[in-house]
Amino acid sequence: MEKLNSLAVYCGHTFGTNPQFERDAARIGELLARNKIRMVFGGGNVGLMGVTATTALNNGGTVLGVTTHDVLAKQEPVHPKICVEVVDGVNERKQRMYDLSDGFIILPGGIGTLNEFTDILTMQQIGETKKPLFFMNTAKFWESFSNMFMSMHANGFIEDVGDYNVFVADTPDELFKKIIK
């Protein structure tokens, strides 16, 4: 895998119920900065996304937010210390984040996070991209999705799981060994 210079981070706009989510999000921000990898994200200053961005910035990292004019700007206060691109809608936002990134880190999150990374998986399935997905499996958060993915394969809905450029790790340091190799 060639050097990844820019990674989109998809994660929750809340902290979730497990304190380890926040600790791992902070460590991801630190490791992005240490490895001189630009963080691209939704621009919010809340939840796991805010922690990851703030930690990256505090460690000398580069962070770019992509947000929309309407809904997200009202629901998620924009991080005050980052460069922000403002686009018209959610689909344009997802496309812009895709275009700006060499790959994607998936932290725990909700429906938005699920939507963002399944779009990339679909693009991988139909051969539109090989950009890698890196799942931060904090406290086994993505275990159920992994089981569902394997069930889709076992039941003939996914032909070859080896066609996907997906990596999973249980700790941020383990994840970065996969990112920077």
Side-chain angles (χ1 to χ4, degrees), residues 15 17 19 26-27 60 86 106 111 113 117-118 131 139 147-148 157 162-163 168:
F15 293 106
T17 58
R27 181 70 177 147
V86 181
I106 317 303
I111 299 297
T113 303
F117 80 74
T118 55
K131 291 183 180 184
N147 291 338
M148 176 178 275
F157 293 103
D163 289 343
V168 181

Side-chain angles (χ1 to χ4, degrees), residues 14-28:
T14 65
F15 293 106
T17 58
N18 186 331
Q20 190 62 44
F21 298 154
E22 185 175 354
R23 287 191 292 270
D24 283 359
R27 181 70 177 147
I28 293 291

Side-chain angles (χ1 to χ4, degrees), residues 32-156:
L32 285 166
R34 180 182 297 163
N35 289 283
K36 297 181 178 19
I37 299 171
R38 177 179 66 175
M39 175 182 169
V40 176
F41 79 121
N45 192 28
V46 293
L48 298 181
M49 68 173 72
V51 166
T52 309
T54 298
T55 305
L57 288 169
N58 289 345
N59 284 275
T62 303
V63 178
L64 174 65
V66 180
T67 192
T68 63
H69 286 289
D70 51 6
V71 178
L72 293 176
K74 293 174 186 164
Q75 292 179 350
E76 296 173 1
V78 173
H79 198 292
K81 296 182 179 180
I82 63 165
C83 293
V84 178
E85 287 191 22
V86 181
V87 297
D88 290 328
V90 173
N91 289 331
E92 186 179 346
R93 175 183 179 228
K94 288 192 294 186
Q95 183 63 51
R96 187 68 181 134
M97 289 175 70
Y98 174 84
D99 292 341
L100 291 165
S101 303
D102 300 323
F104 312 88
I105 296 176
I106 317 303
L107 296 168
I111 299 297
T113 303
L114 182 67
N115 175 262
E116 289 164 331
F117 80 74
T118 55
D119 278 356
I120 305 302
L121 283 173
T122 301
M123 291 169 70
Q124 285 186 8
Q125 183 179 41
I126 62 177
E128 280 188 22
T129 191
K130 281 293 198 182
K131 291 183 180 184
L133 286 160
F134 299 95
F135 283 84
M136 184 62 253
N137 194 29
T138 303
K140 306 291 183 207
F141 184 83
W142 293 112
E143 202 78 14
S144 294
F145 181 80
S146 178
N147 291 338
M148 176 178 275
F149 189 80
M150 296 312 290
S151 177
M152 290 174 189
H153 173 64
N155 287 286

